[in-house]
Amino acid sequence: YAGYVNTLKVDAVDTTGAGDIFGGSAAYKFLSLNKSIEELTDTDLRMIVNFANTAAALSTLKKGGIPSIPGIEEVIRHIEIEFGFPGYI
């Protein structure tokens, strides 16, 4: 698979934990789809990466690792606003 996903542009304050948050958010989104890897579509993969990428970007706006983890609702709200996906789940 090859592709491109837009990202949230931020002025990072602290990147501590951003990679971990990306990985955890990608795992969360994948598991929430309740599909096997073989069943994933291009749209599913883009959704997973977009969710993880947005969560990681938002995490860089606050100092620290754990305090910077954004909530699911915050990630979804930014995806809807920034990328025009109303009703994104």
Side-chain angles (χ1 to χ4, degrees):
Y1 178 79
Y4 177 82
V5 176
N6 289 328
T7 187
L8 185 64
K9 299 198 182 354
V10 297
D11 291 321
V13 173
D14 184 356
T15 61
T16 302
D20 295 323
I21 291 169
F22 179 92
S25 297
Y28 162 79
K29 196 61 184 169
F30 166 65
L31 292 172
S32 73
L33 294 175
N34 201 30
K35 294 183 177 182
S36 69
I37 292 173
E38 295 80 19
E39 295 175 304
L40 294 176
T41 65
D42 286 355
T43 300
D44 294 332
L45 291 171
R46 288 180 185 278
M47 189 182 325
I48 291 167
V49 172
N50 197 344
F51 186 86
N53 213 17
T54 301
L58 290 173
S59 77
T60 69
L61 297 176
K62 299 176 189 167
K63 287 190 178 259
I66 293 174
S68 70
I69 299 171
I72 295 166
E73 297 81 15
E74 181 182 3
V75 175
I76 291 170
R77 184 174 62 250
H78 276 85
I79 290 171
E80 290 176 340
I81 293 168
E82 297 295 326
F83 305 114
F85 300 141
Y88 180 92
I89 296 175

